[in-house]
Amino acid sequence: MDNAHNFSLVEETARRDSLTGALNHKHLLSEIQNAVEQGRQAGKPVSLIMLDIDFFKRYNDAYGHVMGDEVLRLVVQAIRAHLKRTDVVGRWGGEEFGIVLPGATPEQAQGVAKRIAETLEGLPLVDQQGRVLPKHTLSQGIGTFPEHAGDADHLVVAADRALY
């Protein structure tokens, strides 16, 4: 029993980004594929939000990587506060994240994106000396299957285009 439990823990750890706890890139892609396939079979939409922290390099340069890491953790915390049990967040890379919303229309995804941004605006960010640091902003793009894309790969492209 212990070996099975330990194996399960190792498997789950391998799926996650060690800093934020979000799915890693590989497993995020797999979740997007699975959600689109399930959406196709059920005749339901799947929305994907691509989220980027604006000017993150400048933030790291100005306040240090420790504070940059804290920002990444806060972003994932803000995202998770607005997800359903069936939704998924993953780290696309660097300061970019993907949020998979099975069954969500573009309008519903816009509501989630707006609430994430509002939550992040309300979270205080304080450095080790207790100084309040400036807020960071987000850019978000939404793509929805099947409205904007016919498969998972094109869904990523649609959300990415909408981001920029």
PDB file of all heavy atoms in Angstrom, residues 14-44:
ATOM      1  N   ALA A  14       5.439  14.872 -10.639  1.00  0.00           N
ATOM      2  CA  ALA A  14       6.020  14.990 -11.979  1.00  0.00           C
ATOM      3  C   ALA A  14       5.117  15.767 -12.926  1.00  0.00           C
ATOM      4  O   ALA A  14       5.587  16.322 -13.921  1.00  0.00           O
ATOM      5  CB  ALA A  14       6.311  13.606 -12.549  1.00  0.00           C
ATOM      6  N   ARG A  15       3.837  15.845 -12.630  1.00  0.00           N
ATOM      7  CA  ARG A  15       2.888  16.576 -13.481  1.00  0.00           C
ATOM      8  C   ARG A  15       2.864  18.071 -13.173  1.00  0.00           C
ATOM      9  O   ARG A  15       2.297  18.849 -13.921  1.00  0.00           O
ATOM     10  CB  ARG A  15       1.462  16.036 -13.264  1.00  0.00           C
ATOM     11  CG  ARG A  15       1.232  14.633 -13.729  1.00  0.00           C
ATOM     12  CD  ARG A  15      -0.130  14.085 -13.289  1.00  0.00           C
ATOM     13  NE  ARG A  15      -1.228  15.018 -13.313  1.00  0.00           N
ATOM     14  CZ  ARG A  15      -2.089  15.174 -14.342  1.00  0.00           C
ATOM     15  NH1 ARG A  15      -1.937  14.463 -15.427  1.00  0.00           N
ATOM     16  NH2 ARG A  15      -3.084  16.024 -14.258  1.00  0.00           N
ATOM     17  N   ARG A  16       3.451  18.475 -12.069  1.00  0.00           N
ATOM     18  CA  ARG A  16       3.297  19.831 -11.553  1.00  0.00           C
ATOM     19  C   ARG A  16       4.560  20.666 -11.686  1.00  0.00           C
ATOM     20  O   ARG A  16       5.674  20.172 -11.577  1.00  0.00           O
ATOM     21  CB  ARG A  16       2.907  19.786 -10.073  1.00  0.00           C
ATOM     22  CG  ARG A  16       1.654  19.007  -9.783  1.00  0.00           C
ATOM     23  CD  ARG A  16       0.463  19.847  -9.947  1.00  0.00           C
ATOM     24  NE  ARG A  16      -0.774  19.055  -9.918  1.00  0.00           N
ATOM     25  CZ  ARG A  16      -1.926  19.555 -10.255  1.00  0.00           C
ATOM     26  NH1 ARG A  16      -2.031  20.810 -10.628  1.00  0.00           N
ATOM     27  NH2 ARG A  16      -3.003  18.813 -10.235  1.00  0.00           N
ATOM     28  N   ASP A  17       4.354  21.952 -11.856  1.00  0.00           N
ATOM     29  CA  ASP A  17       5.425  22.933 -11.788  1.00  0.00           C
ATOM     30  C   ASP A  17       5.807  23.069 -10.317  1.00  0.00           C
ATOM     31  O   ASP A  17       4.935  23.294  -9.470  1.00  0.00           O
ATOM     32  CB  ASP A  17       4.913  24.266 -12.357  1.00  0.00           C
ATOM     33  CG  ASP A  17       5.877  25.396 -12.134  1.00  0.00           C
ATOM     34  OD1 ASP A  17       6.999  25.336 -12.662  1.00  0.00           O
ATOM     35  OD2 ASP A  17       5.499  26.345 -11.427  1.00  0.00           O
ATOM     36  N   SER A  18       7.082  22.944 -10.007  1.00  0.00           N
ATOM     37  CA  SER A  18       7.501  22.916  -8.603  1.00  0.00           C
ATOM     38  C   SER A  18       7.311  24.260  -7.897  1.00  0.00           C
ATOM     39  O   SER A  18       7.121  24.297  -6.686  1.00  0.00           O
ATOM     40  CB  SER A  18       8.957  22.473  -8.495  1.00  0.00           C
ATOM     41  OG  SER A  18       9.796  23.403  -9.163  1.00  0.00           O
ATOM     42  N   LEU A  19       7.314  25.357  -8.615  1.00  0.00           N
ATOM     43  CA  LEU A  19       7.171  26.671  -7.988  1.00  0.00           C
ATOM     44  C   LEU A  19       5.717  27.017  -7.685  1.00  0.00           C
ATOM     45  O   LEU A  19       5.378  27.457  -6.592  1.00  0.00           O
ATOM     46  CB  LEU A  19       7.776  27.761  -8.885  1.00  0.00           C
ATOM     47  CG  LEU A  19       7.661  29.184  -8.379  1.00  0.00           C
ATOM     48  CD1 LEU A  19       8.451  29.360  -7.082  1.00  0.00           C
ATOM     49  CD2 LEU A  19       8.134  30.162  -9.438  1.00  0.00           C
ATOM     50  N   THR A  20       4.846  26.797  -8.659  1.00  0.00           N
ATOM     51  CA  THR A  20       3.464  27.264  -8.541  1.00  0.00           C
ATOM     52  C   THR A  20       2.457  26.170  -8.199  1.00  0.00           C
ATOM     53  O   THR A  20       1.348  26.469  -7.765  1.00  0.00           O
ATOM     54  CB  THR A  20       3.013  27.917  -9.854  1.00  0.00           C
ATOM     55  OG1 THR A  20       3.005  26.916 -10.877  1.00  0.00           O
ATOM     56  CG2 THR A  20       3.909  29.082 -10.235  1.00  0.00           C
ATOM     57  N   GLY A  21       2.814  24.934  -8.442  1.00  0.00           N
ATOM     58  CA  GLY A  21       1.873  23.829  -8.247  1.00  0.00           C
ATOM     59  C   GLY A  21       0.916  23.642  -9.408  1.00  0.00           C
ATOM     60  O   GLY A  21       0.122  22.707  -9.416  1.00  0.00           O
ATOM     61  N   ALA A  22       0.980  24.526 -10.410  1.00  0.00           N
ATOM     62  CA  ALA A  22       0.157  24.366 -11.611  1.00  0.00           C
ATOM     63  C   ALA A  22       0.705  23.193 -12.427  1.00  0.00           C
ATOM     64  O   ALA A  22       1.851  22.772 -12.240  1.00  0.00           O
ATOM     65  CB  ALA A  22       0.195  25.649 -12.436  1.00  0.00           C
ATOM     66  N   LEU A  23      -0.116  22.666 -13.322  1.00  0.00           N
ATOM     67  CA  LEU A  23       0.391  21.616 -14.208  1.00  0.00           C
ATOM     68  C   LEU A  23       1.575  22.139 -15.002  1.00  0.00           C
ATOM     69  O   LEU A  23       1.626  23.330 -15.341  1.00  0.00           O
ATOM     70  CB  LEU A  23      -0.697  21.163 -15.180  1.00  0.00           C
ATOM     71  CG  LEU A  23      -1.848  20.356 -14.614  1.00  0.00           C
ATOM     72  CD1 LEU A  23      -2.866  20.053 -15.709  1.00  0.00           C
ATOM     73  CD2 LEU A  23      -1.371  19.071 -13.965  1.00  0.00           C
ATOM     74  N   ASN A  24       2.504  21.257 -15.325  1.00  0.00           N
ATOM     75  CA  ASN A  24       3.597  21.678 -16.191  1.00  0.00           C
ATOM     76  C   ASN A  24       3.120  21.710 -17.649  1.00  0.00           C
ATOM     77  O   ASN A  24       1.996  21.298 -17.959  1.00  0.00           O
ATOM     78  CB  ASN A  24       4.840  20.797 -15.995  1.00  0.00           C
ATOM     79  CG  ASN A  24       4.617  19.345 -16.368  1.00  0.00           C
ATOM     80  OD1 ASN A  24       3.857  19.022 -17.278  1.00  0.00           O
ATOM     81  ND2 ASN A  24       5.281  18.452 -15.654  1.00  0.00           N
ATOM     82  N   HIS A  25       3.944  22.224 -18.527  1.00  0.00           N
ATOM     83  CA  HIS A  25       3.577  22.437 -19.924  1.00  0.00           C
ATOM     84  C   HIS A  25       3.079  21.154 -20.596  1.00  0.00           C
ATOM     85  O   HIS A  25       2.023  21.159 -21.242  1.00  0.00           O
ATOM     86  CB  HIS A  25       4.785  23.009 -20.682  1.00  0.00           C
ATOM     87  CG  HIS A  25       4.504  23.342 -22.094  1.00  0.00           C
ATOM     88  ND1 HIS A  25       4.005  24.567 -22.474  1.00  0.00           N
ATOM     89  CD2 HIS A  25       4.640  22.624 -23.232  1.00  0.00           C
ATOM     90  CE1 HIS A  25       3.844  24.585 -23.788  1.00  0.00           C
ATOM     91  NE2 HIS A  25       4.226  23.418 -24.262  1.00  0.00           N
ATOM     92  N   LYS A  26       3.807  20.085 -20.426  1.00  0.00           N
ATOM     93  CA  LYS A  26       3.450  18.811 -21.064  1.00  0.00           C
ATOM     94  C   LYS A  26       2.053  18.355 -20.639  1.00  0.00           C
ATOM     95  O   LYS A  26       1.234  17.968 -21.479  1.00  0.00           O
ATOM     96  CB  LYS A  26       4.487  17.750 -20.699  1.00  0.00           C
ATOM     97  CG  LYS A  26       4.145  16.365 -21.201  1.00  0.00           C
ATOM     98  CD  LYS A  26       5.161  15.343 -20.721  1.00  0.00           C
ATOM     99  CE  LYS A  26       4.743  13.958 -21.129  1.00  0.00           C
ATOM    100  NZ  LYS A  26       5.646  12.936 -20.597  1.00  0.00           N
ATOM    101  N   HIS A  27       1.786  18.417 -19.370  1.00  0.00           N
ATOM    102  CA  HIS A  27       0.500  17.935 -18.876  1.00  0.00           C
ATOM    103  C   HIS A  27      -0.634  18.921 -19.153  1.00  0.00           C
ATOM    104  O   HIS A  27      -1.783  18.517 -19.316  1.00  0.00           O
ATOM    105  CB  HIS A  27       0.605  17.559 -17.402  1.00  0.00           C
ATOM    106  CG  HIS A  27       1.385  16.292 -17.228  1.00  0.00           C
ATOM    107  ND1 HIS A  27       2.733  16.284 -17.000  1.00  0.00           N
ATOM    108  CD2 HIS A  27       1.000  15.005 -17.315  1.00  0.00           C
ATOM    109  CE1 HIS A  27       3.145  15.035 -16.929  1.00  0.00           C
ATOM    110  NE2 HIS A  27       2.114  14.238 -17.117  1.00  0.00           N
ATOM    111  N   LEU A  28      -0.315  20.198 -19.251  1.00  0.00           N
ATOM    112  CA  LEU A  28      -1.320  21.175 -19.673  1.00  0.00           C
ATOM    113  C   LEU A  28      -1.775  20.866 -21.090  1.00  0.00           C
ATOM    114  O   LEU A  28      -2.979  20.848 -21.377  1.00  0.00           O
ATOM    115  CB  LEU A  28      -0.768  22.598 -19.584  1.00  0.00           C
ATOM    116  CG  LEU A  28      -1.676  23.697 -20.136  1.00  0.00           C
ATOM    117  CD1 LEU A  28      -3.008  23.742 -19.391  1.00  0.00           C
ATOM    118  CD2 LEU A  28      -0.967  25.044 -20.077  1.00  0.00           C
ATOM    119  N   LEU A  29      -0.835  20.600 -21.983  1.00  0.00           N
ATOM    120  CA  LEU A  29      -1.193  20.248 -23.367  1.00  0.00           C
ATOM    121  C   LEU A  29      -2.073  19.008 -23.410  1.00  0.00           C
ATOM    122  O   LEU A  29      -3.051  18.960 -24.166  1.00  0.00           O
ATOM    123  CB  LEU A  29       0.070  20.022 -24.202  1.00  0.00           C
ATOM    124  CG  LEU A  29       0.863  21.266 -24.571  1.00  0.00           C
ATOM    125  CD1 LEU A  29       2.168  20.882 -25.254  1.00  0.00           C
ATOM    126  CD2 LEU A  29       0.040  22.183 -25.453  1.00  0.00           C
ATOM    127  N   SER A  30      -1.748  18.029 -22.588  1.00  0.00           N
ATOM    128  CA  SER A  30      -2.545  16.809 -22.530  1.00  0.00           C
ATOM    129  C   SER A  30      -3.961  17.106 -22.047  1.00  0.00           C
ATOM    130  O   SER A  30      -4.943  16.569 -22.587  1.00  0.00           O
ATOM    131  CB  SER A  30      -1.860  15.799 -21.600  1.00  0.00           C
ATOM    132  OG  SER A  30      -2.633  14.638 -21.476  1.00  0.00           O
ATOM    133  N   GLU A  31      -4.092  17.972 -21.060  1.00  0.00           N
ATOM    134  CA  GLU A  31      -5.413  18.343 -20.545  1.00  0.00           C
ATOM    135  C   GLU A  31      -6.229  19.096 -21.592  1.00  0.00           C
ATOM    136  O   GLU A  31      -7.446  18.923 -21.681  1.00  0.00           O
ATOM    137  CB  GLU A  31      -5.283  19.174 -19.266  1.00  0.00           C
ATOM    138  CG  GLU A  31      -4.798  18.390 -18.069  1.00  0.00           C
ATOM    139  CD  GLU A  31      -5.793  17.369 -17.562  1.00  0.00           C
ATOM    140  OE1 GLU A  31      -7.015  17.562 -17.736  1.00  0.00           O
ATOM    141  OE2 GLU A  31      -5.352  16.365 -16.982  1.00  0.00           O
ATOM    142  N   ILE A  32      -5.570  19.943 -22.373  1.00  0.00           N
ATOM    143  CA  ILE A  32      -6.268  20.664 -23.446  1.00  0.00           C
ATOM    144  C   ILE A  32      -6.800  19.659 -24.466  1.00  0.00           C
ATOM    145  O   ILE A  32      -7.969  19.728 -24.867  1.00  0.00           O
ATOM    146  CB  ILE A  32      -5.347  21.705 -24.116  1.00  0.00           C
ATOM    147  CG1 ILE A  32      -4.968  22.814 -23.121  1.00  0.00           C
ATOM    148  CG2 ILE A  32      -6.012  22.303 -25.366  1.00  0.00           C
ATOM    149  CD1 ILE A  32      -3.838  23.718 -23.598  1.00  0.00           C
ATOM    150  N   GLN A  33      -5.956  18.720 -24.862  1.00  0.00           N
ATOM    151  CA  GLN A  33      -6.365  17.679 -25.814  1.00  0.00           C
ATOM    152  C   GLN A  33      -7.562  16.897 -25.280  1.00  0.00           C
ATOM    153  O   GLN A  33      -8.547  16.687 -25.992  1.00  0.00           O
ATOM    154  CB  GLN A  33      -5.201  16.705 -26.087  1.00  0.00           C
ATOM    155  CG  GLN A  33      -4.077  17.261 -26.884  1.00  0.00           C
ATOM    156  CD  GLN A  33      -4.352  17.251 -28.377  1.00  0.00           C
ATOM    157  OE1 GLN A  33      -5.377  16.769 -28.844  1.00  0.00           O
ATOM    158  NE2 GLN A  33      -3.426  17.805 -29.131  1.00  0.00           N
ATOM    159  N   ASN A  34      -7.467  16.454 -24.033  1.00  0.00           N
ATOM    160  CA  ASN A  34      -8.546  15.665 -23.429  1.00  0.00           C
ATOM    161  C   ASN A  34      -9.841  16.461 -23.341  1.00  0.00           C
ATOM    162  O   ASN A  34     -10.920  15.939 -23.640  1.00  0.00           O
ATOM    163  CB  ASN A  34      -8.148  15.186 -22.031  1.00  0.00           C
ATOM    164  CG  ASN A  34      -7.053  14.143 -22.058  1.00  0.00           C
ATOM    165  OD1 ASN A  34      -6.810  13.497 -23.074  1.00  0.00           O
ATOM    166  ND2 ASN A  34      -6.369  13.996 -20.944  1.00  0.00           N
ATOM    167  N   ALA A  35      -9.739  17.723 -22.933  1.00  0.00           N
ATOM    168  CA  ALA A  35     -10.940  18.551 -22.789  1.00  0.00           C
ATOM    169  C   ALA A  35     -11.625  18.764 -24.135  1.00  0.00           C
ATOM    170  O   ALA A  35     -12.857  18.687 -24.234  1.00  0.00           O
ATOM    171  CB  ALA A  35     -10.580  19.897 -22.158  1.00  0.00           C
ATOM    172  N   VAL A  36     -10.839  19.008 -25.180  1.00  0.00           N
ATOM    173  CA  VAL A  36     -11.421  19.216 -26.508  1.00  0.00           C
ATOM    174  C   VAL A  36     -12.076  17.933 -27.006  1.00  0.00           C
ATOM    175  O   VAL A  36     -13.185  17.968 -27.554  1.00  0.00           O
ATOM    176  CB  VAL A  36     -10.363  19.742 -27.506  1.00  0.00           C
ATOM    177  CG1 VAL A  36     -10.865  19.680 -28.939  1.00  0.00           C
ATOM    178  CG2 VAL A  36      -9.978  21.174 -27.142  1.00  0.00           C
ATOM    179  N   GLU A  37     -11.432  16.803 -26.795  1.00  0.00           N
ATOM    180  CA  GLU A  37     -12.021  15.537 -27.232  1.00  0.00           C
ATOM    181  C   GLU A  37     -13.325  15.262 -26.482  1.00  0.00           C
ATOM    182  O   GLU A  37     -14.324  14.851 -27.089  1.00  0.00           O
ATOM    183  CB  GLU A  37     -11.037  14.382 -27.039  1.00  0.00           C
ATOM    184  CG  GLU A  37     -11.515  13.070 -27.627  1.00  0.00           C
ATOM    185  CD  GLU A  37     -11.942  13.173 -29.097  1.00  0.00           C
ATOM    186  OE1 GLU A  37     -11.285  13.877 -29.880  1.00  0.00           O
ATOM    187  OE2 GLU A  37     -12.967  12.544 -29.450  1.00  0.00           O
ATOM    188  N   GLN A  38     -13.341  15.494 -25.187  1.00  0.00           N
ATOM    189  CA  GLN A  38     -14.562  15.299 -24.407  1.00  0.00           C
ATOM    190  C   GLN A  38     -15.638  16.303 -24.827  1.00  0.00           C
ATOM    191  O   GLN A  38     -16.818  15.965 -24.904  1.00  0.00           O
ATOM    192  CB  GLN A  38     -14.267  15.417 -22.919  1.00  0.00           C
ATOM    193  CG  GLN A  38     -13.480  14.235 -22.392  1.00  0.00           C
ATOM    194  CD  GLN A  38     -13.056  14.419 -20.943  1.00  0.00           C
ATOM    195  OE1 GLN A  38     -13.396  15.398 -20.290  1.00  0.00           O
ATOM    196  NE2 GLN A  38     -12.283  13.457 -20.440  1.00  0.00           N
ATOM    197  N   GLY A  39     -15.226  17.540 -25.110  1.00  0.00           N
ATOM    198  CA  GLY A  39     -16.163  18.550 -25.588  1.00  0.00           C
ATOM    199  C   GLY A  39     -16.773  18.161 -26.924  1.00  0.00           C
ATOM    200  O   GLY A  39     -17.977  18.336 -27.145  1.00  0.00           O
ATOM    201  N   ARG A  40     -15.941  17.624 -27.800  1.00  0.00           N
ATOM    202  CA  ARG A  40     -16.422  17.170 -29.120  1.00  0.00           C
ATOM    203  C   ARG A  40     -17.467  16.065 -28.943  1.00  0.00           C
ATOM    204  O   ARG A  40     -18.533  16.101 -29.551  1.00  0.00           O
ATOM    205  CB  ARG A  40     -15.252  16.670 -29.968  1.00  0.00           C
ATOM    206  CG  ARG A  40     -15.639  16.253 -31.372  1.00  0.00           C
ATOM    207  CD  ARG A  40     -14.492  15.652 -32.179  1.00  0.00           C
ATOM    208  NE  ARG A  40     -13.209  16.295 -32.037  1.00  0.00           N
ATOM    209  CZ  ARG A  40     -12.830  17.427 -32.636  1.00  0.00           C
ATOM    210  NH1 ARG A  40     -13.665  18.070 -33.412  1.00  0.00           N
ATOM    211  NH2 ARG A  40     -11.616  17.919 -32.454  1.00  0.00           N
ATOM    212  N   GLN A  41     -17.171  15.087 -28.089  1.00  0.00           N
ATOM    213  CA  GLN A  41     -18.085  13.970 -27.878  1.00  0.00           C
ATOM    214  C   GLN A  41     -19.391  14.408 -27.228  1.00  0.00           C
ATOM    215  O   GLN A  41     -20.454  13.892 -27.554  1.00  0.00           O
ATOM    216  CB  GLN A  41     -17.404  12.895 -27.025  1.00  0.00           C
ATOM    217  CG  GLN A  41     -16.286  12.182 -27.744  1.00  0.00           C
ATOM    218  CD  GLN A  41     -15.509  11.234 -26.834  1.00  0.00           C
ATOM    219  OE1 GLN A  41     -15.843  11.039 -25.677  1.00  0.00           O
ATOM    220  NE2 GLN A  41     -14.452  10.653 -27.380  1.00  0.00           N
ATOM    221  N   ALA A  42     -19.317  15.388 -26.313  1.00  0.00           N
ATOM    222  CA  ALA A  42     -20.503  15.831 -25.588  1.00  0.00           C
ATOM    223  C   ALA A  42     -21.224  16.995 -26.280  1.00  0.00           C
ATOM    224  O   ALA A  42     -22.303  17.389 -25.846  1.00  0.00           O
ATOM    225  CB  ALA A  42     -20.106  16.256 -24.175  1.00  0.00           C
ATOM    226  N   GLY A  43     -20.610  17.523 -27.344  1.00  0.00           N
ATOM    227  CA  GLY A  43     -21.201  18.674 -28.024  1.00  0.00           C
ATOM    228  C   GLY A  43     -21.179  19.933 -27.167  1.00  0.00           C
ATOM    229  O   GLY A  43     -22.098  20.749 -27.228  1.00  0.00           O
ATOM    230  N   LYS A  44     -20.120  20.084 -26.379  1.00  0.00           N
ATOM    231  CA  LYS A  44     -20.006  21.237 -25.481  1.00  0.00           C
ATOM    232  C   LYS A  44     -18.744  22.035 -25.811  1.00  0.00           C
ATOM    233  O   LYS A  44     -17.759  21.491 -26.289  1.00  0.00           O
ATOM    234  CB  LYS A  44     -19.947  20.781 -24.029  1.00  0.00           C
ATOM    235  CG  LYS A  44     -21.229  20.114 -23.603  1.00  0.00           C
ATOM    236  CD  LYS A  44     -21.289  19.949 -22.128  1.00  0.00           C
ATOM    237  CE  LYS A  44     -22.664  19.388 -21.791  1.00  0.00           C
ATOM    238  NZ  LYS A  44     -23.006  19.524 -20.425  1.00  0.00           N
TER     239      LYS A  44
END
